[in-house]
Amino acid sequence: MDPALVEIVLVRPRHPGNVAAACRAMKNMGLSRLCLVGPPPGLVEPDARALAYGAWDVLDGARVASTLGEAVAPSTLVAGTTGRGVPGAWTPRRLAGEAEARAAPAGLSVVFGPEASGLTSAELALCHVHVHVPTHDDQPSLNLAQAVLLVAYELRLRALASAALVSDEGAPAAPVTAGELEGAVQDLREALLAAGFLDPANPDHILAELRRLLARAGPTPREITLLRGIARQVGWAGRVARGRSPA
Amino acid sequence: MDPALVEIVLVRPRHPGNVAAACRAMKNMGLSRLCLVGPPPGLVEPDARALAYGAWDVLDGARVASTLGEAVAPSTLVAGTTGRGVPGAWTPRRLAGEAEARAAPAGLSVVFGPEASGLTSAELALCHVHVHVPTHDDQPSLNLAQAVLLVAYELRLRALASAALVSDEGAPAAPVTAGELEGAVQDLREALLAAGFLDPANPDHILAELRRLLARAGPTPREITLLRGIARQVGWAGRVARGRSPA
């Protein structure tokens, strides 16, 4: 996909040097959009500047978001990286292959967690797909800039291949942004709580499954309207049924 | 190809830290055979040891050769990396694809030059094929460990695909059949009729939209179970609510 539609999101990176090295890796692969959620101090210090050699435009152009939700709201597809091989996780190559179709029109956010711990379960649950680099079990952990490099490399190869063979497979209806999808997911949350399907003590695990299912489909605005309409009616039925029944 | 048949050859690396980081990148991708032609001093110092964290076996097991010719003599295929896009150069991906057939029986050497200057023309001439990572013109130069990482990554993905442990596409959970999807769609039909969302006179148009949305996502068996569970609870709430309310 168009590199201008890709944003790398670094969540609570601890070391400014790693952010700087990630900027270089991005620029190596033609990416320029960076978002920092909770950036570390020291990004303007000489050490970090040196590690970002030649990629200062990426570092200085980074936008800062206060939460992951805010960071990814403008994107259509949100991919969360994980060092653990979770079931159903995509390889960076598969992400690059699918992003073209699924991240239009508003783009792709690729999210990386803190160096030591990675993204939390709650943060991964906010992501539409999970991405895992299939490293060897004897030394599974990549450093942050290397993980960024590998994902950016796959996106670049794919973009180069697409540019080489410009095809027009017809224009499918454009999927909505992550923020619009999230609106429908939250409506479904309320509805399924009202109907007694979700456990009020722990609704998020199942909700995360629903979010991933819907995000994989890439809903159109029309489909989001449909889902919100269903949620409204189910919420009504749930409130009436549970308000009036012994259960 | 079998990772045991791949040797990474570093020619006159200047900085022990780069050798150490290359060892880590190799081990991340399941490679273990390293050859150093003119190694730098300092490989046993704490700084280098720290950068090779967890990959000391690769570093300590490196063999030393006095010339490139001596280093690559045992191999069947010799690939020399270059930061310049020389005509006919292969991408790392093509190298990984071709190596299987061409590097039998004695294996593949992948040769990396000094950090600043790369391999000389004479050294490149000793190589059978040239390999170039297609970085962006605005920031073409990768550091040594990153170049090793990208080549080792491609070799690993190829080896995994050959071993059929994972395919190039990763290992997504298998989507269900159309019949299984239809079971969930029919459950949702009953539920949304009961909840009063679907018009009993014409439920099929909206149901077809839902079917298309779900089919695009390619639901897993687990997700079908989830959808049927939702349908059961929503159907219950709808029947109770509409049976007991004036509407």
Side-chain angles (χ1 to χ4, degrees):
Chain A
M1 63 186 301
D2 181 353
L5 289 176
V6 178
E7 186 163 76
I8 300 296
V9 180
L10 304 184
V11 177
R12 299 186 308 283
R14 290 288 298 277
H15 301 291
N18 289 336
V19 176
C23 290
R24 258 192 75 97
M26 287 172 61
K27 192 145 181 180
N28 282 144
M29 296 303 160
L31 298 183
S32 58
R33 287 176 50 203
L34 176 65
C35 179
L36 299 171
V37 180
L43 288 174
V44 297
E45 302 299 326
D47 283 1
R49 307 301 288 177
L51 281 165
Y53 183 86
W56 300 297
D57 54 333
V58 176
L59 184 57
D60 295 335
R63 82 187 166 93
V64 172
S66 53
T67 66
L68 177 57
E70 177 193 326
V72 302
S75 289
T76 305
L77 182 66
V78 180
T81 56
T82 167
R84 294 176 292 278
V86 295
W90 290 0
T91 60
R93 185 164 304 169
R94 178 157 184 212
L95 174 67
E98 304 255 359
E100 197 106 27
R102 295 177 185 242
L108 168 69
S109 291
V110 191
V111 185
F112 298 81
E115 293 89 337
S117 54
L119 295 169
T120 65
S121 299
E123 287 163 343
L124 281 170
L126 270 181
C127 299
H128 306 161
V129 298
H130 299 153
V131 173
H132 173 68
V133 177
T135 48
H136 196 282
D137 288 344
D138 286 348
Q139 179 90 309
S141 84
L142 293 167
N143 72 40
L144 181 57
Q146 286 175 324
V148 170
L149 178 74
L150 289 173
V151 170
Y153 165 78
E154 288 286 3
L155 290 167
R156 175 162 175 77
L157 286 200
R158 187 71 186 198
L160 289 172
S162 298
L165 41 110
V166 178
S167 67
D168 185 358
E169 310 220 335
V176 299
T177 66
E180 291 164 317
L181 173 59
E182 195 56 31
V185 169
Q186 291 307 318
D187 282 5
L188 289 169
R189 175 198 177 97
E190 292 311 311
L192 295 175
L193 281 168
F197 179 75
L198 290 174
D199 175 3
N202 180 25
D204 291 330
H205 179 72
I206 282 177
L207 213 64
E209 291 191 73
L210 266 183
R211 182 186 291 113
R212 281 196 294 275
L213 173 69
L214 293 173
R216 278 211 314 278
T220 62
R222 156 78 199 165
E223 289 165 338
I224 289 293
T225 302
L226 174 63
L227 291 171
R228 299 187 88 151
I230 290 174
R232 196 158 44 241
Q233 186 73 16
V234 167
W236 168 82
R239 282 187 299 275
V240 173
R242 304 222 305 153
R244 298 188 183 189
S245 76
Chain B
M1 64 186 301
D2 180 354
L5 289 175
V6 177
E7 185 164 75
I8 299 296
V9 180
L10 304 183
V11 177
R12 299 186 307 283
R14 290 288 298 279
H15 301 290
N18 290 336
V19 176
C23 289
R24 259 192 74 98
M26 287 173 62
K27 191 145 181 178
N28 281 144
M29 297 302 162
L31 298 183
S32 58
R33 287 177 49 202
L34 176 65
C35 178
L36 299 170
V37 180
L43 288 174
V44 296
E45 301 299 324
D47 282 2
R49 305 301 290 179
L51 281 165
Y53 183 86
W56 300 297
D57 54 332
V58 177
L59 184 56
D60 295 335
R63 76 187 171 97
V64 173
S66 53
T67 67
L68 177 58
E70 177 194 326
V72 301
S75 289
T76 306
L77 181 66
V78 180
T81 57
T82 167
R84 295 175 294 279
V86 296
W90 290 358
T91 60
R93 186 163 304 172
R94 179 158 181 209
L95 174 67
E98 305 253 2
E100 197 106 29
R102 296 179 186 234
L108 167 69
S109 290
V110 191
V111 185
F112 298 81
E115 294 88 338
S117 55
L119 295 169
T120 66
S121 300
E123 287 163 342
L124 281 171
L126 270 183
C127 299
H128 307 159
V129 298
H130 299 152
V131 173
H132 173 67
V133 177
T135 47
H136 196 280
D137 288 344
D138 287 349
Q139 179 91 308
S141 84
L142 294 167
N143 72 39
L144 181 58
Q146 286 175 324
V148 170
L149 178 74
L150 289 173
V151 170
Y153 166 78
E154 288 286 5
L155 290 167
R156 175 162 173 79
L157 285 200
R158 187 72 187 196
L160 288 172
S162 299
L165 292 177
V166 303
S167 72
D168 275 7
E169 303 285 297
V176 297
T177 64
E180 290 165 314
L181 173 60
E182 196 55 31
V185 169
Q186 291 307 318
D187 282 3
L188 288 168
R189 175 200 179 99
E190 292 311 310
L192 294 174
L193 281 168
F197 180 75
L198 290 174
D199 175 3
N202 180 24
D204 291 330
H205 179 72
I206 283 178
L207 213 64
E209 290 191 74
L210 266 183
R211 183 186 291 109
R212 280 196 297 275
L213 173 68
L214 293 174
R216 279 212 310 281
T220 62
R222 155 81 199 165
E223 289 165 339
I224 290 294
T225 302
L226 175 64
L227 290 171
R228 299 188 87 153
I230 290 174
R232 194 160 46 240
Q233 185 73 13
V234 167
W236 168 82
R239 282 188 300 275
V240 173
R242 304 222 308 153
R244 300 189 183 185
S245 77

